[in-house]
Amino acid sequence: MSCQPGEAATQDYMYAKQWKQHGSQGNGSPLAGAIPSTKEDGCERMRSSLALAQVLALAALWVAGESDTNIECQCSNPSLCQPVAAHIQHQVEVVVFDIGGKDWKHYDWSKVTTIIPVRAYDPEILCRAHANDVRVLLIGRITQPLLRSPAKRAAWMNEQIQVAKRQFMDGITLNYQQSLSDQSMYHTGLIELIRDTAQIFHREIPGSQIIFTVPWAPNCIEGQCYDFATIGKHCDFLFVRSYNMHDQTMNECFAMSNAPYHQVVSGLSAYINLGIESRKLVLGLALFGYDYTCKQLFEPGRCELEQNDLIRAPCSYHAARPVPYKDIMKLLPKSFTGKYWDEVSRVPYFNYMVNITYHEVWFDDPESISIKASILRKLKLRGIGMWNANYLNYSAVPIAAMQTEDMWNAMCPFRGKWRARII
C-alpha cells in the first residue's frame, strides 16, 4: 500500500494559512476542528499525523519569525535598515518625540540622538534617522491587564519585538501613567514587564534602548506610586516628564507656569535621592504652554481662575488650554501687555483679550529653556528631551524660522560635545 504525500502537504498548507488568518478557535487550539479524527487505514492516519506535525511546525515558525520574512527595506541605501550599531553612543542624549506629518524633514538632525514616532510609522523617518546615527524607538503602551497575567505579558513582549524588527527599529519607549492599587501583584507585574522587555530587546537588537517615561517627581504624582528605583535599574534611562506640575494645587487659583525651574530641579533631585544614577535621567521638557481664561485679572501675573471640580483640590492646569509654542508666537503680537518675566518660575507670560475676556499665557521660550538645559550639567544628567518637536514652526517665514532655530539651540547648548560618540 503506497501513500501519496501530495494531499497531506496541501492540507497542511491550507490549515497553516487558516490558522494564520483566523487564529485560535473552539477550545483555544489553533487547529481545533481543522483535522477530523478518523479510524481509517494506517495510510490515512499517517497522512493526518504528518499533516498535524507539519502544521504545528509551520505555526511555530510563523509565531517566532513571521516578521523576519517578506521584509523589504524602503531606504535607498539598504544599510540604513540596520539598527544603529551598539558601539555608537553619545555623551548627551537628545530624545525627540514626533506626532506625525513631515516636520521631521526640518529637524536639526545634528542634535538629535533618539527619535520616537508616536503615531503612524513613517519609514522615511527611519532612513533619515539612521543616516544620522539616530535611534528610532517603538512606543510600547502598557495596560493594566498585562500586569496581572504573565501569559499576556509574554505575548505582548513577543509582539513588540516582532514589530520593532519588522520596522528596523532600535528599541522601545515604555509608557504607563495609571495609578496602581496597593496590591503587590500590579507592582510586581510592572517591574517584571519592564525587566523582561529590556532583556529581550537587548538580546534581539544589540545596542537597542529601553526607556520608561516617569512623572516630574517620584512622589505618587497622579497616583503613579511605582518602584522607580528598581525600574531605573532595568532601563537604559528614564524620560522625566518635567511639566504639567500643577495637576492638583491646594493654593489659590491663579495662572502659573506648568514647569517652574525650582520644581524641575527638585523633582529630578528626588529621583537621584532614591538611588537612581543621574546618568539614567533625561530631562523632558514641553514645547507647549498654557492659555488660562481669567475669572478676574488684577494685574499681569495675577490671573484668577474659576475653580474646577477636582478631588482634593480646587484648581489645576486642567483649567487651561494647552497651546503649542508655534501658536503662542502667533498670539504674542496680540498681547496688550507684551512679554513679562516671572523671577520665581523663571518663565515668561503675557496677557491678551478676546472680546471682554482676559487671558494669560504661560510658556517656555529660548531663555527659560536655556536655564532648564543648564540643569544637565548641574545634576550630571544623561540628556534632555522634547515633547514634542512638531510644536515648533518649520515654515519658510523668516521670523518663524529664527524662533524655531533659537529653540533648538536652547535645547542643545553644548555644541562641541553634543553628538560626540563614545566608541
Side-chain angles (χ1 to χ4, degrees), residues 4-246:
Q4 298 299 320
E7 182 181 355
T10 301
Q11 284 182 321
D12 139 73
Y13 171 77
M14 292 304 295
Y15 295 151
K17 182 177 180 181
Q18 181 184 23
W19 185 89
K20 178 176 175 180
Q21 290 176 341
H22 303 293
S24 299
Q25 299 177 9
N27 63 8
S29 168
L31 302 175
I35 300 178
S37 176
T38 178
K39 294 184 179 180
E40 297 178 9
D41 56 47
C43 182
E44 187 62 31
R45 287 196 300 270
M46 185 172 69
R47 287 196 187 100
S48 297
S49 299
L50 177 62
L52 178 59
Q54 290 176 327
V55 172
L56 290 174
L58 284 174
L61 287 172
W62 178 74
V63 170
E66 185 207 24
S67 63
D68 294 326
T69 62
N70 300 321
I71 297 176
E72 182 179 354
C73 176
Q74 298 187 41
C75 301
S76 58
N77 182 350
S79 68
L80 298 180
C81 287
Q82 295 296 320
V84 174
H87 69 270
I88 296 178
Q89 301 292 330
H90 305 282
Q91 291 182 348
V92 181
E93 293 285 350
V94 182
V95 180
V96 173
F97 284 83
D98 177 277
I99 60 172
K102 297 297 181 180
D103 287 337
W104 59 266
K105 293 186 175 183
H106 308 286
Y107 293 169
D108 188 341
W109 288 95
S110 69
K111 295 183 172 67
V112 184
T113 64
T114 298
I115 189 164
I116 305 170
V118 176
R119 296 177 183 169
Y121 172 70
D122 184 350
E124 287 187 275
I125 292 183
L126 181 128
C127 302
R128 176 69 65 85
H130 283 184
N132 289 277
D133 291 337
V134 173
R135 288 180 168 84
V136 183
L137 270 55
L138 179 70
I139 283 281
R141 294 178 174 86
I142 301 172
T143 59
Q144 196 164 87
L146 295 176
L147 308 186
R148 296 194 298 263
S149 169
K152 288 182 179 180
R153 288 200 295 272
W156 183 87
M157 286 184 286
N158 180 68
E159 179 184 3
Q160 304 310 304
I161 191 65
Q162 296 303 331
V163 170
K165 285 184 173 182
R166 185 162 59 245
Q167 296 178 347
F168 310 103
M169 302 178 91
D170 307 274
I172 188 169
T173 298
L174 300 173
N175 183 49
Y176 185 76
Q177 299 184 33
Q178 300 180 36
S179 60
L180 286 181
S181 69
D182 293 333
Q183 299 180 45
S184 60
M185 169 182 64
Y186 293 102
H187 294 276
T188 301
L190 180 61
I191 290 172
E192 288 181 354
L193 185 148
I194 294 169
R195 179 199 64 199
D196 295 345
T197 300
Q199 289 176 352
I200 190 172
F201 268 83
H202 286 153
R203 182 180 70 246
E204 298 293 325
I205 306 176
S208 58
Q209 287 180 341
I210 288 78
I211 303 174
F212 186 68
T213 67
V214 298
W216 68 270
N219 51 336
C220 291
I221 304 298
E222 296 183 310
Q224 297 174 63
C225 309
Y226 311 155
D227 184 353
F228 293 106
T230 301
I231 290 172
K233 292 177 182 178
H234 297 304
C235 296
D236 291 293
F237 49 87
L238 305 176
F239 182 93
V240 184
R241 302 186 302 273
S242 295
Y243 46 85
N244 292 348
M245 294 184 174
H246 300 293

Side-chain angles (χ1 to χ4, degrees), residues 360-379:
E360 191 161 271
V361 179
W362 290 71
F363 62 106
D364 275 303
D365 66 357
E367 183 177 1
S368 63
I369 289 288
S370 293
I371 293 173
K372 290 185 174 75
S374 68
I375 299 172
L376 270 69
R377 280 179 171 164
K378 180 183 180 69
L379 298 182

Side-chain angles (χ1 to χ4, degrees), residues 400-416:
M402 182 178 66
Q403 291 168 349
T404 296
E405 182 181 3
D406 288 345
M407 286 292 274
W408 274 97
N409 290 337
M411 291 284 295
C412 314
F414 315 123
R415 297 176 182 274

Side-chain angles (χ1 to χ4, degrees), residues 201-338:
F201 268 83
H202 286 153
R203 182 180 70 246
E204 298 293 325
I205 306 176
S208 58
Q209 287 180 341
I210 288 78
I211 303 174
F212 186 68
T213 67
V214 298
W216 68 270
N219 51 336
C220 291
I221 304 298
E222 296 183 310
Q224 297 174 63
C225 309
Y226 311 155
D227 184 353
F228 293 106
T230 301
I231 290 172
K233 292 177 182 178
H234 297 304
C235 296
D236 291 293
F237 49 87
L238 305 176
F239 182 93
V240 184
R241 302 186 302 273
S242 295
Y243 46 85
N244 292 348
M245 294 184 174
H246 300 293
D247 174 58
Q248 295 178 344
T249 230
M250 298 303 294
N251 300 321
E252 295 178 305
C253 289
F254 284 92
M256 62 184 70
S257 166
N258 92 57
Y261 171 81
H262 292 294
Q263 279 188 256
V264 172
V265 174
S266 66
L268 291 163
S269 298
Y271 280 107
I272 295 171
N273 291 338
L274 288 179
I276 299 174
E277 296 178 31
S278 62
R279 288 287 296 167
K280 285 220 170 186
L281 300 176
V282 167
L283 165 60
L285 300 178
L287 299 186
F288 64 87
Y290 279 114
D291 182 344
Y292 296 89
T293 299
C294 303
K295 174 183 176 182
Q296 185 174 355
L297 180 66
F298 295 100
E299 61 181 347
R302 292 283 291 171
C303 166
E304 186 180 15
L305 311 175
E306 292 280 359
Q307 291 191 6
N308 48 63
D309 295 328
L310 283 178
I311 299 174
R312 300 187 305 276
C315 57
S316 79
Y317 71 82
H318 293 292
R321 177 174 67 96
V323 185
Y325 180 77
K326 59 186 175 184
D327 295 330
I328 290 174
M329 291 297 96
K330 296 174 183 176
L331 279 175
L332 183 55
K334 301 177 183 179
S335 169
F336 63 86
T337 61

